[in-house]
Amino acid sequence: MNATSWPEARRIARSAGRPLDPIDVTLPEALGATLAVPLTALSPLPAYDAAAMDGYAVSGPGPWQVTGRVLAGDARPVEPLLPGTAVEIATGALVPAGVDAVLPYERARFRSDRVHGEIETGRHIRRRGDDCPLGEEVLPTGTLVTPTLLGLAASLGHDRLTVHLRPRVGVVVTGAELLSHGLPTPGRVRDAISPMLPGLVDSAGGTIAWTTRVTDDKTALVEAMSRPDAEVVVVCGATSVGAADHLRGALEALAAQVRVHGVACRPGHPQLLATLPDGRCVVGLPGNPYAALVAALTLLTPLLGRLAGRTERRPVTARLVGPVKVLDRDTRLVPVAREGSVVVPVGHDRPGLLWGAAEANALAVVPPGWQGAEVELLALPDADAAAAVVVRPPASGTSVDPEPTPPEAAAPTGAGGPPGGVLRLPERAPLAVATSHES
């Protein structure tokens, strides 16, 4: 069976599911989910005419006789002001009817029982609905619920939000050689894939429901994938054709439809996507850690984004500078970091090594036969934190474009990020331009 091209594999993964059912939740419970209905203004912003400065609310021409005081949060009714009168007022307090402007303290002169100063009609008053009118659609369906969105929703009068259920992910770790803790020993290695999955899953809109470890046994794999309490099952390892790789046989036993049977990319070729008869999906990741990361960003991220109801994003591109081994038929996924207006490879990118990916801001998608055009970027979760890593100085003789302006594009690729705007990868310390290894 021919391997699926990398762009087609991403498209198939995105189309393999549909958004999960909406649910009405409290604001804290909505964090990380996706809006299932547009966010609208249940209250105008501001909700009432409010003072924008501490000072005096004045009516008519001055000087003005001060007749009282209005503080933020006052519940008592405020009488309309008559021309020639004023009330002392605090920022955020309800502006009485008849007020022409708020005269800030620093521009006011108080003499006897009257206040003097120059005003501009309407100045320092935030009128009801100036920022957002009642009923306005503020954010569309498919928007990720972030901490700032929760604050906005609260200011618009929301106590609850209607969001899509977050897809549950079950993780099956295969391989008798894997250790879950301690130092590697002869013939045994540490499991490096399952520790990175919770962050990847969370950033794509899902949540880890359970993790189980099985031996290299088809019956145990079938039993684990039969659990009904996850919309997506991720199998780590067992995707190749070796004697201990039983995923394909287990999928046959479960009458699954295999939709992606290998992807034409390096690393990460032996990845897999299947649909079980009950509609749940199985994503098979290669056993090498960096190859597994590539496979997760290729198949798992777009699948979870679709199930979570997130809006698909337009690709981000940038100019890649530095020697990269280009393949004739396969797409290369290269860890890169930004230097000025370009991205450069960081090296350390063998299939079994996460070193380069941990230093990188993104993975550059280098298509077959690439000849130097801009490349698509896959943003890595929490890449900003990675920017603090101290890395090697540039190798002697390396030429890197010194322009200081970062690349700009419409929006980040994948399930996360805003529906529009600019993606700016964080600055990094100078990096060596390293040749990507063959996988």
Side-chain angles (χ1 to χ4, degrees):
M1 182 181 295
N2 292 331
T4 305
S5 71
W6 188 85
E8 179 66 6
R10 296 267 294 176
R11 187 197 67 77
I12 293 172
R14 179 78 187 175
S15 66
R18 62 176 182 80
L20 300 181
D21 292 336
I23 185 173
D24 185 63
V25 297
T26 65
L27 295 187
E29 292 171 326
L31 183 63
T34 305
L35 292 179
V37 297
L39 180 69
T40 58
L42 302 182
S43 168
L45 280 181
Y48 53 87
D49 291 354
M53 296 283 286
D54 294 328
Y56 300 92
V58 302
S59 176
W64 303 273
Q65 183 177 7
V66 179
T67 61
R69 174 183 293 176
V70 182
L71 300 178
D74 277 351
R76 56 189 172 84
V78 181
E79 295 294 327
L81 287 192
L82 298 176
T85 63
V87 291
E88 194 173 4
I89 198 165
T91 300
L94 174 65
V95 172
V99 168
D100 292 312
V102 170
L103 177 64
Y105 283 132
E106 54 267 31
R107 296 181 58 188
R109 301 183 306 279
F110 197 84
R111 298 174 185 168
S112 184
D113 62 348
R114 294 181 180 273
V115 66
H116 300 250
E118 300 294 326
I119 64 167
E120 178 183 341
T121 300
R123 186 70 169 164
H124 304 308
I125 299 175
R126 297 177 61 222
R127 295 295 182 185
R128 172 183 165 90
D130 267 356
D131 296 333
C132 180
L134 176 66
E136 179 83 359
E137 182 176 316
V138 179
L139 292 172
T141 298
T143 302
L144 172 66
V145 179
T146 63
T148 49
L149 187 149
L150 293 180
L152 174 63
S155 68
L156 295 172
H158 290 268
D159 295 317
R160 305 177 70 87
L161 292 174
T162 302
V163 297
H164 289 288
L165 285 167
R166 297 184 70 179
R168 299 167 298 172
V169 176
V171 179
V172 183
V173 181
T174 71
E177 76 282 7
L178 296 180
L179 295 170
S180 60
H181 61 277
L183 296 175
T185 60
R188 306 290 300 277
V189 297
R190 281 293 298 272
D191 169 22
I193 298 175
S194 61
M196 70 177 174
L197 281 177
L200 291 172
V201 167
D202 180 75
S203 69
T207 181
I208 298 289
W210 49 265
T211 299
T212 187
R213 297 177 181 273
V214 301
T215 59
D216 296 316
D217 176 78
K218 186 174 102 172
T219 302
L221 195 51
V222 168
E223 182 179 348
M225 289 193 297
S226 299
R227 290 184 58 165
D229 50 350
E231 284 73 39
V232 178
V233 176
V234 176
V235 179
C236 306
T239 59
S240 193
V241 293
D245 297 315
H246 298 294
L247 180 54
R248 286 173 172 79
L251 290 171
E252 290 178 7
L254 291 169
Q257 177 191 4
V258 178
R259 307 186 66 169
V260 175
H261 194 290
V263 176
C265 68
R266 301 290 174 178
H269 180 273
Q271 54 184 292
L272 181 148
L273 174 65
T275 304
L276 297 172
D278 61 5
R280 295 180 300 118
C281 293
V282 176
V283 175
L285 306 180
N288 278 318
Y290 179 47
L293 173 64
V294 168
L297 295 176
T298 301
L299 297 179
L300 182 60
T301 293
L303 171 61
L304 291 178
R306 173 65 173 165
L307 293 173
R310 294 188 180 182
T311 302
E312 188 173 10
R313 311 305 181 186
R314 296 187 297 274
V316 162
T317 62
R319 188 158 62 92
L320 175 62
V321 173
V324 174
K325 185 175 180 61
V326 180
L327 302 178
D328 293 333
R329 299 182 180 179
D330 291 347
T331 298
R332 289 198 70 90
L333 282 298
V334 180
V336 295
R338 183 171 66 82
E339 286 193 4
S341 63
V342 301
V343 293
V344 296
V346 299
H348 298 304
D349 59 355
R350 294 188 184 277
L353 185 62
L354 288 169
W355 185 351
E359 286 187 350
N361 303 131
L363 300 187
V365 181
V366 182
W370 177 68
Q371 295 183 345
E374 288 197 346
V375 295
E376 182 178 350
L377 300 179
L378 296 181
L380 291 168
D382 297 324
D384 285 358
V389 175
V390 177
V391 292
R392 297 155 290 130
S396 58
T398 295
S399 175
V400 177
D401 190 327
E403 296 176 18
T405 305
E408 296 186 1
T413 297
V422 174
L423 172 67
R424 288 183 171 89
L425 297 177
E427 288 281 4
R428 295 287 304 275
L431 298 169
V433 178
T435 303
S436 293
H437 298 293
E438 181 65 57
S439 59

